[in-house]
Amino acid sequence: SRHLREGATRLAAALAGTTDVDAITLSLAQYARTGNPGVASHAITLAVLSNTIVKTGMVVALGSPALRGSLLIATVGILVAGVAAILLT
């Protein structure tokens, strides 16, 4: 039951991050105080990563080729760092 709830928290954060990270970050900051800080930090990281992916997609769809290339390189670095942070904590 606890693992299902924690998984649902992470999934909700990833979905919420597709549009905005402010609300889910505030909500999870409260959860970190009363619940599991590790789950909260992972969920916030997932929200930020999903938000980054969506915004990168917008640039890929609308931006110039030069902008796309440099942004894709930066995005890969951000994703690698975020996933590493989740795996190492």
Side-chain angles (χ1 to χ4, degrees), residues 1-76:
S1 171
R2 187 184 102 235
H3 292 296
L4 181 61
R5 190 170 49 249
E6 291 173 355
T9 299
R10 289 180 176 102
L11 177 61
L15 291 173
T18 61
T19 58
D20 183 42
V21 294
D22 296 338
I24 194 68
T25 300
L26 291 172
S27 177
L28 288 167
Q30 178 63 31
Y31 179 71
R33 286 191 283 269
T34 61
N36 185 331
V39 170
S41 67
H42 288 176
I44 290 169
T45 303
L46 288 170
V48 170
L49 293 176
S50 69
N51 189 267
T52 300
I53 290 168
V54 168
K55 289 182 179 176
T56 299
M58 295 166 111
V59 171
V60 167
L62 303 171
S64 69
L67 180 59
R68 283 183 219 144
S70 59
L71 185 69
L72 286 172
I73 292 168
T75 299
V76 168

